Amino acid sequence: MALVFYLKFLWITLWLVLTSILGLIGAILRWGNLNIDRDFGRPFSWGALKILGLKVEMEGYENLNSNPCIYIANHQSALDLALFGTLSPKCYRDWE
């Protein structure tokens, strides 16, 4: 059982490093794009939830829109990073 934990921990750490490197490269290449956090957060979230074997069910997703808002995590678990990638809506407007 401990071996499975350590293997998942290693795999999710490698996944975080890989998606972070790709996210940094993408941020440089797409400077000024408002969807960078969404476009690179979702792949990390997808992989992290798959590695951990978790399924997220969301209610009220249709109520999220591209209006300005702030998402706040209460840090009740270590899953905040993985869960936030699943709910970030696409931003359609340019904020000047």
Side-chain angles (χ1 to χ4, degrees), residues 18-94:
L18 175 67
T19 55
S20 295
I21 291 170
L22 293 175
L24 287 171
I25 293 169
I28 292 169
L29 296 177
R30 297 173 56 192
W31 189 260
N33 186 321
L34 297 176
N35 291 316
I36 290 175
D37 56 346
R38 177 185 182 271
D39 294 344
F40 294 102
R42 282 188 180 239
F44 169 75
S45 177
W46 173 83
L49 293 174
K50 293 288 185 193
I51 292 167
L52 296 173
L54 300 175
K55 182 179 177 185
V56 176
E57 293 183 20
M58 292 183 13
E59 295 180 12
Y61 187 76
E62 64 278 358
N63 296 325
L64 297 176
N65 54 34
S66 60
N67 291 334
C69 63
I70 298 174
Y71 297 106
I72 300 175
N74 61 5
H75 300 293
Q76 293 295 313
S77 73
L79 295 175
D80 291 344
L81 187 60
L83 294 176
F84 266 62
T86 62
L87 65 84
S88 61
K90 188 167 185 155
C91 182
Y92 293 104
R93 16 191 305 203
D94 188 14

